[in-house]
Amino acid sequence: MDSAELKEYFSKRVSLSSADLVAMAQLFAQLYREFQTDIVHRVCCTDAIDRPYIWVDPLEGRSSHVILFFHGGGYTMGSSKDHMQLIASLVERSGKTFLAVDYRLFPAVTFPAPLDDAEAAYRWLLEQGLPASRIGLAGISAGAALVTQLVHRCAKKSLGCPALAMVMSGLNDFRFDRPSMAFNSCLDLVSLNRLESIVEFYFPDQSSFESDDVLCINQNYNQYPTTLFQVGDQEILLSDAIEMHQSLRSQGHDVHLNVVPQMIHCGQMFARDYPPGQSAIEQAAGFIKSALQ
C-alpha cells in the first residue's frame, strides 16, 4: 500500500471533518484495529493501579528504563489501546518498557489539562523511585506535542531532564504558518482545516497558545534529552520537525532528524501494510536502543 492508496482507504472509513467526535473516535479505533497484528500479544500489558496508565513490557520483563508514551488524536480522541500496535512494535524491537498514558480529552477538558496529565505521569514515575535519567518520553501527533511541552515543564519546574524524547509527527506550535503546510497539503492525510479546528476547541482562550508551555521550542535550554524528530516527507508538519531540530541543534543539544521518504501523517500507525510506516518504526526502535544502552 502506498500513500495514495492509504489515503483512499482512510477516506472511505473516516471523515476528519465530522462534528460528531464520539462517532469519529469509534471509527478511528476500529480503523486502527484493522491494522493490528499478533505483535500486540507478544508484549505484557498490565493496568497501573488507580491510574489511567498501561505498563507494556517486553516478554523478557520490565526494563531498567521506562518510556512514557502519549497517543495521538487531536486532543479529542485516541487511547493507549488504539495505539497498541505501534507501542508493542516499539517495545518488542527496542526491548524497553513503555508506560502508555491515557490523558484527559476534549470536551471534558481543554488546554492545559492534557499537559498537566503528562506531567503527573512523569512525577508518578519519579515517585516510584525511577530517576529522570532512566525515563524517556515518546508520542505521536498530538501526543508528540505533549512530549516537547513536557520537556519544557520539566526544565521550568526542575523535575530533572529525561534521558530521551521521541517526537513522531509532532507540532512545533499552533500557528500553522510553515512552508510544508502549503506544499504538502495535497499529499497528506491531515488538512490545515483539521489543525485549525483543534485550536478552536483546545484553546478556548485564544491567547493561551502563545504561552511558553506551547511555544516551548522557542525557549533556550541548558539541558535537553537526546531527541529524535521523526516526520514523513509528505506531511504538512514536515517544516515543524525541521525547525524544531534546527532550533535545538543550534543550542548544541543532541537531537536527530529522521525524514521518512513517501510517508504521510501518522504512517507508523498503518505499518502492517504501509512500508514507509514499517521503516519509521524500525528507525525509531533503533534510536531507542542506541540512546538507552
Side-chain angles (χ1 to χ4, degrees), residues 246-261:
Q246 290 175 339
S247 174
L248 292 166
R249 188 175 178 84
S250 70
Q251 297 179 39
H253 299 299
D254 182 16
V255 294
H256 308 265
L257 177 65
N258 173 209
V259 178
V260 183

Side-chain angles (χ1 to χ4, degrees), residues 230-279:
Q230 185 177 76
V231 65
D233 68 355
Q234 296 182 351
E235 291 196 52
I236 59 175
L237 298 178
L238 172 63
S239 298
D240 284 66
I242 293 172
E243 183 175 312
M244 286 190 282
H245 172 259
Q246 290 175 339
S247 174
L248 292 166
R249 188 175 178 84
S250 70
Q251 297 179 39
H253 299 299
D254 182 16
V255 294
H256 308 265
L257 177 65
N258 173 209
V259 178
V260 183
Q262 304 301 306
M263 191 174 83
I264 56 178
H265 188 65
C266 290
Q268 301 93 334
M269 297 291 293
F270 308 102
R272 187 195 67 184
D273 300 329
Y274 184 54
Q278 296 169 10
S279 174

Side-chain angles (χ1 to χ4, degrees), residues 66-231:
V66 174
I67 298 175
L68 283 172
F69 181 86
F70 306 104
H71 64 77
Y75 308 110
T76 63
M77 59 185 174
S79 69
S80 298
K81 290 182 178 179
D82 288 350
H83 289 62
M84 193 52 67
Q85 174 70 23
L86 172 59
I87 298 167
S89 298
L90 293 170
V91 168
E92 185 178 72
R93 286 171 169 81
S94 70
K96 303 301 181 186
T97 292
F98 275 48
L99 183 67
V101 178
D102 282 308
Y103 52 89
R104 290 170 293 169
L105 301 171
F106 178 86
V109 299
T110 58
F111 178 83
L115 177 56
D116 293 340
D117 291 351
E119 180 187 337
Y122 184 81
R123 287 180 179 273
W124 185 78
L125 278 182
L126 294 174
E127 291 166 3
Q128 308 312 301
L130 205 67
S133 60
R134 293 198 172 274
I135 300 175
L137 312 176
I140 188 166
S141 193
L146 289 178
V147 168
T148 53
Q149 292 166 10
L150 181 54
V151 171
H152 177 258
R153 277 273 182 98
C154 288
K156 183 168 70 173
K157 297 189 176 184
S158 301
L159 298 177
C161 181
L164 170 146
M166 191 161 65
V167 182
M168 308 171 86
S169 301
L171 281 165
N172 185 331
D173 55 50
F174 292 81
R175 291 177 293 192
F176 313 134
D177 57 359
R178 293 174 180 81
S180 58
M181 289 286 174
F183 66 69
N184 274 341
S185 60
C186 294
L187 298 174
D188 203 3
L189 194 64
V190 175
S191 69
L192 178 58
N193 286 341
R194 165 62 176 164
L195 296 180
E196 288 176 337
S197 71
I198 293 173
V199 171
E200 293 177 8
F201 57 70
Y202 191 48
F203 299 105
D205 172 8
Q206 293 296 298
S207 65
S208 63
F209 68 83
E210 297 290 338
S211 73
D212 288 349
D213 274 338
V214 178
L215 301 178
C216 51
I217 292 296
N218 295 11
Q219 313 302 314
N220 292 317
Y221 294 89
N222 293 325
Q223 283 184 292
Y224 207 85
T226 299
T227 299
L228 176 67
F229 294 101
Q230 185 177 76
V231 65

Side-chain angles (χ1 to χ4, degrees), residues 40-53:
V40 300
H41 303 298
R42 301 204 300 268
V43 294
C44 299
C45 296
T46 310
D47 291 338
I49 298 174
D50 297 328
R51 297 278 176 166
Y53 312 151

